[in-house]
Amino acid sequence: MKHMTLAEITRACRGVYHGDSALAAVEVSSVTIDSRKVVKGSLFIAIKGARVDGHDLIPQTMESGALCALSERDLGDAPFPYILVESCRQALKDLAEHYRRSLDIRVVGISGSVGKTSTKEMIASVLSQRYRVLKTEGNFNNEVGLPLTVFRIREEHEVAVLEMGISDFGEMTRLARIARPDICVITNIGCAHLEQLKDRDGILKAKTEMFAFMNPNGQILLNGDDDKLRTYTPENGLQPVYFGLGEHCSFRAEQVVDQGLRGTDAEFVTPDSRFSAHISIPGSHMVHNAMAGTAVGRLLGLTDSEIRAGIEALVPLAGRNHLIETDTFVIIDDCYNANPASMKASLDVLAKADTRTAAILGDMGELGDNWKALHREVGRYAAELGIQILICIGEMAEEIAAGAREAGAPEVCHYTDKQGFFAELDRLLKPGDSILVKASHMMEFPEIVERLQAKGGASR
């Protein structure tokens, strides 16, 4: 990482340094909260977790080569340097904000109710055709993950593509204070995290907190097909640029040809050009992701040929609309997370299959008091699409099953847990089936994908 001394870190965290004064001028090599990732010269930040308190691991990290620890505990006359702070979690954010300010790098911040990760992957794939890009990995998009992502930025990086996920008011403000994006992208305003944000207007308010700490000379990119975003006026006075399918969008897609589970062909229109490209990942939402990638690419100076190459180079991540072909089944692995909008989008993808369709759906979390109606709505949607067998797993998913039955779905099953489904898997699924697997992360549905892969035989 870029140079940062212990003295500088102490000031940034408003802490008190304890240890050899000569070491205060030494630079750390990395910052981590994971004792397993400590390398020579690391700064270890002791975070109190649900099961493990990082403070108990400080001696171990020193033996592994850490230079210094950040601690909420007074460690007394410790035989190693440490910085005493009031809160390690706050110090993590303060230090990341300080480090970001020292970097000469363009940052693309991405948020939205659905599609943050797939949009992030698309934008990073496009920008990688010209720039050295760092992107958010995994689910490192919250108040712990974002700082750790920022600390991964090195001097060779030219652009950072940062995913920013929230569940309550004020979180985006704290994330934006760290990221300070030059380009802000919002994918949509859907129904997610309603326990705290209450309704779509609340979600819009929370997501757009991002603009408070963006580059005042930056750009805002919004999905012009989303009713809430299309009519939103940023308080910072910047005029949004829209991407989507509508004629009012500066970056839009035309002549969209659905190739089923093989993806989509489309013509991409910019303010001064047009080009064709193939998107290998299925789903209409991927067209919007590609338009977002096109818009960011053009704002950062890429040519149409570079943007096309980036769109066509994108491959799916495990758990994110990942198509797995086995000897017996075609599996759509989209089980990383779920809310009503993403459930419907994934069902749309499944409905494109030219085989018998089976959806294995689980509970959706954080939907607030309206969770029953939102689950039933997904079940009705699956029935309306003609999904031929719907397998619902979990207590809340019983409402998906109820909605599907109300709408006349031909075959609906409900199980309280995965084991009940596994006991009847052979009876329910048939060779040649196309199978969607999707639920909130808490349901741990990757286990179902693994079982289906083993049952289906060799992947192709």
Side-chain angles (χ1 to χ4, degrees), residues 344-377:
K344 291 178 181 178
S346 295
L347 287 166
D348 286 338
V349 172
L350 176 63
K352 301 176 187 297
D354 56 6
T355 66
R356 193 178 85 127
T357 52
I360 304 173
L361 306 181
D363 294 354
M364 299 178 288
E366 299 185 20
L367 295 182
D369 295 338
N370 202 32
W371 68 267
K372 285 188 177 181
L374 293 170
H375 278 79
R376 284 197 177 223
E377 184 179 315

Side-chain angles (χ1 to χ4, degrees), residues 78-93:
F80 50 78
Y82 72 96
I83 300 169
L84 183 63
V85 295
E86 184 175 336
S87 164
C88 282
R89 287 182 179 270
Q90 185 59 48
L92 175 71
K93 290 181 280 193

Side-chain angles (χ1 to χ4, degrees), residues 236-430:
N236 62 8
L238 292 178
Q239 178 61 42
V241 175
Y242 296 105
F243 61 90
L245 302 178
E247 287 291 329
H248 63 286
C249 295
S250 301
F251 295 87
R252 64 184 184 275
E254 297 180 350
Q255 300 181 34
V256 177
V257 179
D258 187 345
Q259 301 288 358
L261 296 183
R262 305 299 170 190
T264 308
D265 294 323
E267 188 165 311
F268 297 87
V269 181
T270 79
D272 56 12
S273 68
R274 61 176 61 223
F275 63 92
S276 298
H278 174 73
I279 308 166
S280 62
I281 302 174
S284 58
H285 63 288
M286 291 304 303
V287 178
H288 282 86
N289 295 349
M291 292 313 309
T294 300
V296 174
R298 286 299 299 271
L299 290 176
L300 291 183
L302 272 70
T303 64
D304 288 349
S305 61
E306 289 172 324
I307 295 170
R308 179 192 300 111
I311 291 171
E312 297 187 340
L314 182 65
V315 295
L317 300 173
R320 310 274 191 170
N321 233 347
H322 180 206
L323 196 67
I324 304 169
E325 297 185 70
T326 72
D327 289 341
T328 306
F329 306 128
V330 173
I331 305 164
I332 303 171
D333 170 15
D334 198 20
C335 61
Y336 178 77
N337 219 333
N339 58 45
S342 66
M343 278 278 198
K344 291 178 181 178
S346 295
L347 287 166
D348 286 338
V349 172
L350 176 63
K352 301 176 187 297
D354 56 6
T355 66
R356 193 178 85 127
T357 52
I360 304 173
L361 306 181
D363 294 354
M364 299 178 288
E366 299 185 20
L367 295 182
D369 295 338
N370 202 32
W371 68 267
K372 285 188 177 181
L374 293 170
H375 278 79
R376 284 197 177 223
E377 184 179 315
V378 167
R380 287 193 294 271
Y381 192 76
E384 291 164 3
L385 286 176
I387 304 303
Q388 288 152 292
I389 176 170
L390 188 61
I391 300 165
C392 306
I393 302 173
E395 293 183 9
M396 289 186 284
E398 188 171 5
E399 296 296 329
I400 299 178
R405 292 188 183 108
E406 289 170 358
E411 187 173 359
V412 181
C413 308
H414 174 256
Y415 301 93
T416 57
D417 56 34
K418 288 174 287 188
Q419 298 309 313
F421 162 64
F422 290 148
E424 298 195 358
L425 187 156
D426 290 337
R427 178 183 69 82
L428 295 170
L429 300 176
K430 300 177 180 178

Side-chain angles (χ1 to χ4, degrees), residues 73-149:
R73 296 180 188 170
D74 188 336
L75 303 178
D77 190 20
F80 50 78
Y82 72 96
I83 300 169
L84 183 63
V85 295
E86 184 175 336
S87 164
C88 282
R89 287 182 179 270
Q90 185 59 48
L92 175 71
K93 290 181 280 193
D94 290 343
L95 186 57
E97 180 183 352
H98 172 80
Y99 183 62
R100 165 66 182 99
R101 286 177 178 275
S102 73
L103 300 171
D104 182 18
I105 188 172
R106 285 169 287 191
V107 170
V108 181
I110 301 168
S111 194
S113 298
V114 181
K116 292 185 293 295
T117 298
S118 56
T119 303
K120 176 257 299 182
E121 292 294 324
M122 178 66 80
I123 290 172
S125 182
V126 168
L127 296 181
S128 294
Q129 303 305 307
R130 176 176 292 197
Y131 298 111
R132 292 185 293 277
V133 176
L134 178 131
K135 65 180 180 180
T136 302
E137 299 291 349
N139 62 346
F140 279 60
N141 63 2
N142 58 20
E143 290 187 64
V144 173
L146 180 67
L148 294 174
T149 300

